[in-house]
Amino acid sequence: SEPPGLRTSTGAPTTVVVGTTNDPATPYASSEQVVDELDDAVLVTRQGDGHVAWSASSCIRREVGRYLVTATPPKAGITCPSDP
């Protein structure tokens, strides 16, 4: 049997999921699925190749960093480019 779906606890802060469009280790569809399965989550997308989004995009660092400092989640649908 399959394990139960992911859930967050009532009253827990919004979960921020970061997915990269061409991640060889974690397919982008998996990031979308996690967001769909969580009770309260938002997806921030990095367009580009590679597995680690934090070091590859100043936009990701800004959006996720703001959340870590203010506890205000990014708006749904934010897409960040990779840094040149």
Side-chain angles (χ1 to χ4, degrees):
S1 77
E2 288 190 38
L6 299 171
R7 289 184 287 287
T8 53
S9 298
T10 301
T14 301
T15 301
V16 175
V17 176
V18 178
T20 299
T21 55
N22 295 313
D23 185 332
T26 308
Y28 184 72
S30 295
S31 300
E32 294 174 310
Q33 182 178 355
V34 167
V35 170
D36 288 343
E37 291 183 12
L38 290 169
D39 292 336
D40 183 13
V42 63
L43 176 61
V44 178
T45 301
R46 178 178 72 93
Q47 291 181 323
D49 299 319
H51 183 60
V52 181
W54 184 265
S55 62
S57 172
S58 57
C59 173
I60 292 291
R61 291 190 299 275
R62 180 181 63 248
E63 294 298 328
V64 175
R66 182 180 307 126
Y67 174 66
L68 294 173
V69 171
T70 67
T72 301
K75 293 181 181 178
I78 289 180
T79 298
C80 291
S82 295
D83 293 340

